Amino acid sequence: MELKSSDPSALTTLLSVQMWDPNFLEEVLRSHRSDKKQEFQHLLQYFRSIAEHGVSSDEDAQLSEILVKLQRLCPCLKQEHLAFVNALLACNFFVLSGETFEEFVLFITGLLTAQPFFVDGCLRNWVKRFRSLPPDCTLDLNREKLGTVDEKIRIYHNRVHIAIGKAVQLIPLCRPKLMHCIADGFPFRLRGVEEHFLYARNVLSLLDKYPANRSDILTIFLKYLAKLDADASPNELNDLEVDDDEDNEEDEVSTVNWIIEHPTAERLDLVLTLVLEYIEQLSAKRCVIPSDLEHFYRDTLPAFDDIIMMSQGLTHVQYIWFYMASLREQIAEALYQRLRQNILATNKPTVLRQFAVSYMCSFLARSKFVPLRNSIKFVDEMVQWIHKYITDYDRLPHVPDMEQVHRLFYVICENIFYLVTFRHEEIFAQSKGIAWFKALNFSRIISSNLNPLRYCKRVIRDLFASVTRNRGVLFCYTVIERNNRMMIFTAAKDAISAPGDDNPLNTSFPFEPYVLKRSKRFVTPLYRSYGEVILTELPEAETYRGLIADSDDSNQSRDSDEDDDSVIEDFSQTFRKPSRKRQLSENTT
């Protein structure tokens, strides 16, 4: 008998002739390649039709009885029955009644116990459901806080987690396969924002369910998040900056449109909001020491070192660690020490040390919660390193001042200029701040044969020169003018370094202004804009030795060259505002 209809009720009517007898079904499965081939195809059509059309409430109860009978046949299912198992897995048992779902879990338990081979297909199918909605459900994403979803959606995804948990419980060795399925299951970057939101939300839920694999899950998740961040173009972020300026503060919260027009920025904002809300919840738990937040921070470190710091051009994902550091002083200190060790470790790749110093200086410049003494201590330590590097260079017979040879030196100098410029108001407001700066002997640094100002980003160079000239502690314009004249007579530029460009080292500062709509509420209270001063005199007990200009340690740690630069009269200098907001000199009204 040939069956043409795809209606599940018609298929059930045909198959009910045999009353779904387990003995008959066993015979069909054993002989599906010979005399029972047609009946086997009817079984496939039945489950494929359910997967396509769903079932009514009456058919729900009947399907529950069918699952009870299929549980007895689990030992009969072999690899040759893969099509049958896939057809059954394609049915959406997660939206049916609780009784039917329980019978489905029992069937899966028997199936995986008898045939662990099917665990791959089960995991792939269930992980893919992380990014789907149950039928007749919609998702409201036009809101600031995203912690809750509709009850039907929550129950649907909880059942998916139950099925995955049962598979992991039965076959513990399948955890690496689960990690692989999670990595492959992330939506393509051009898929809808709802898929990205749902999948990210469910992957974050796995962190609490599988704490032993949390570091692996976070590494996979943060790699995906870094790809989303890299896709957010500068033009989109500039548009967001304009939109923020046009916000009407008098509007009620209920009228705010949280949707970002650019899909890539919207996807990034949604996922980052989920992550930061998750971190906020961890911070509220103070039951144990170390806290859950500190465990979470340690689990993110492999991804931070291998993915985040080594990816140039990221704009927002690094604020995950910025926010964690603001919640715990221990995390802020641990992050400071980790970056410092990466900078000073001679066995680390040079590119990692360069990125580490950019992260360190940007972190110290932008964070309101890190004490000023950390910035002073870091500048003092790096200046000692710079002076030693210059001394070692002067002892060599001849090494050209090429960017590719001394790139780490130039990057460190540029970042120190950046940090001093950013925090100069607070530093010079200290009782011995000016004396401390003079003891650093920056005159020797800028006038050395390595000539760091030549390779410095133009906006940093000009602001550093202006700030130090106005304070009467350093005069850089002689070196700057000499470099400008030198460029006129310079031959063809090097393929790697171009000292005449605005950014010859192609450096960037990770913690530049945050512009995403929803998630910026976590960062804005902690973030320092350029020109924003938070004056705090260091207590006498915490005074850092580097601020004491006449101390023996301070004098012996640097070269004894004196600063003979004279300070000319004050003049006002206006710098053209860059086209992108992500520059040091974002001008505030």
Side-chain angles (χ1 to χ4, degrees), residues 311-325:
S311 301
Q312 194 171 14
L314 299 181
T315 57
H316 290 84
V317 66
Q318 56 267 24
Y319 275 97
I320 293 174
W321 290 268
F322 187 93
Y323 182 61
M324 282 193 288

Side-chain angles (χ1 to χ4, degrees), residues 40 54 150 176 180 213 216 233 240 315 322 365 407 434 479 500 510 531 585:
F40 183 75
D150 184 76
H180 184 73
N213 299 96
D216 296 331
S233 66
L240 292 182
T315 57
F322 187 93
R407 185 178 180 86
I434 293 179
V479 178
S585 62

Side-chain angles (χ1 to χ4, degrees), residues 341-404:
Q341 291 171 5
N342 284 334
I343 296 168
L344 299 177
T346 56
N347 60 335
K348 298 283 186 180
T350 302
V351 65
L352 175 63
R353 299 174 68 186
Q354 294 168 12
F355 289 147
V357 73
S358 295
Y359 267 86
M360 174 70 92
C361 290
S362 187
F363 176 68
L364 295 175
R366 293 293 191 175
S367 58
K368 292 182 178 180
F369 50 88
V370 177
L372 177 62
R373 63 176 178 270
N374 286 24
S375 299
I376 293 172
K377 181 178 180 180
F378 180 73
V379 170
D380 192 83
E381 187 172 22
M382 287 296 99
V383 168
Q384 293 184 49
W385 184 93
I386 292 171
H387 280 295
K388 183 179 183 302
Y389 193 97
I390 293 174
T391 301
D392 294 341
Y393 171 80
D394 291 339
R395 291 173 181 171
L396 296 176
H398 176 68
V399 178
D401 61 338
M402 297 174 63
E403 174 266 338
Q404 62 266 40

Side-chain angles (χ1 to χ4, degrees), residues 238 241 576-581 583:
N238 284 337
E241 178 188 357
R576 177 178 62 85
K577 184 178 179 180
S579 58
R580 286 194 60 190
K581 185 173 182 177
Q583 300 289 343

Side-chain angles (χ1 to χ4, degrees), residues 161-174:
H161 284 289
I162 290 173
I164 293 176
K166 178 61 67 173
V168 174
Q169 179 184 359
L170 293 172
I171 311 174
L173 295 178
C174 76

Side-chain angles (χ1 to χ4, degrees), residues 401-413:
D401 61 338
M402 297 174 63
E403 174 266 338
Q404 62 266 40
V405 177
H406 308 289
R407 185 178 180 86
L408 178 62
F409 169 82
Y410 291 126
V411 170
I412 291 178
C413 288

Side-chain angles (χ1 to χ4, degrees), residues 141-381:
L141 297 178
N142 190 14
R143 50 201 174 101
E144 182 183 20
K145 298 181 179 180
L146 305 171
T148 58
V149 294
D150 184 76
E151 184 66 12
K152 290 183 65 176
I153 301 175
R154 186 188 65 82
I155 293 175
Y156 173 75
H157 287 132
N158 282 348
R159 288 181 171 182
V160 177
H161 284 289
I162 290 173
I164 293 176
K166 178 61 67 173
V168 174
Q169 179 184 359
L170 293 172
I171 311 174
L173 295 178
C174 76
R175 292 193 180 216
K177 297 179 180 179
L178 176 60
M179 299 300 108
H180 184 73
C181 291
I182 293 172
D184 290 343
F186 280 102
F188 182 62
R189 60 186 182 87
L190 298 181
R191 301 288 295 180
V193 293
E194 294 84 1
E195 290 191 25
H196 288 271
F197 169 79
L198 291 171
Y199 197 85
R201 184 178 182 275
N202 282 287
V203 171
L204 287 175
S205 299
L206 293 173
L207 297 177
D208 298 327
K209 301 179 186 300
Y210 307 104
N213 299 96
R214 185 162 50 186
S215 180
D216 296 331
I217 297 173
L218 281 171
T219 300
I220 296 170
F221 181 80
L222 291 170
K223 184 177 181 179
Y224 150 78
L225 192 53
K227 291 180 179 178
L228 285 184
D229 196 343
D231 287 337
S233 66
N235 292 333
E236 293 183 8
L237 300 176
N238 284 337
D239 291 341
L240 292 182
E241 178 188 357
V242 175
D243 292 340
D244 290 343
D245 294 339
E246 296 175 355
D247 285 344
N248 186 359
E249 297 180 357
E250 297 179 358
D251 291 344
E252 296 181 358
V253 177
S254 59
T255 63
V256 175
N257 180 20
W258 295 104
I259 301 295
I260 300 176
E261 294 181 0
H262 300 284
T264 51
E266 171 70 358
R267 286 188 284 267
L268 180 62
D269 193 17
L270 283 171
V271 179
L272 274 176
T273 301
L274 286 173
V275 176
L276 296 177
E277 286 182 355
Y278 180 83
I279 293 173
E280 185 180 42
Q281 294 174 2
L282 291 179
S283 177
K285 301 177 182 179
R286 296 178 176 268
C287 303
V288 295
I289 299 176
S291 66
D292 291 342
L293 180 60
E294 291 167 339
H295 283 299
F296 180 85
Y297 165 75
R298 286 199 293 267
D299 290 332
T300 62
L301 289 179
F304 180 73
D305 289 343
D306 300 335
I307 300 173
I308 305 303
M309 270 211 309
M310 300 299 289
S311 301
Q312 194 171 14
L314 299 181
T315 57
H316 290 84
V317 66
Q318 56 267 24
Y319 275 97
I320 293 174
W321 290 268
F322 187 93
Y323 182 61
M324 282 193 288
S326 71
L327 298 174
R328 292 285 192 280
E329 183 180 352
Q330 297 88 339
I331 294 179
E333 181 63 24
L335 182 61
Y336 172 89
Q337 293 298 337
R338 189 174 191 84
L339 291 172
R340 175 182 170 275
Q341 291 171 5
N342 284 334
I343 296 168
L344 299 177
T346 56
N347 60 335
K348 298 283 186 180
T350 302
V351 65
L352 175 63
R353 299 174 68 186
Q354 294 168 12
F355 289 147
V357 73
S358 295
Y359 267 86
M360 174 70 92
C361 290
S362 187
F363 176 68
L364 295 175
R366 293 293 191 175
S367 58
K368 292 182 178 180
F369 50 88
V370 177
L372 177 62
R373 63 176 178 270
N374 286 24
S375 299
I376 293 172
K377 181 178 180 180
F378 180 73
V379 170
D380 192 83
E381 187 172 22

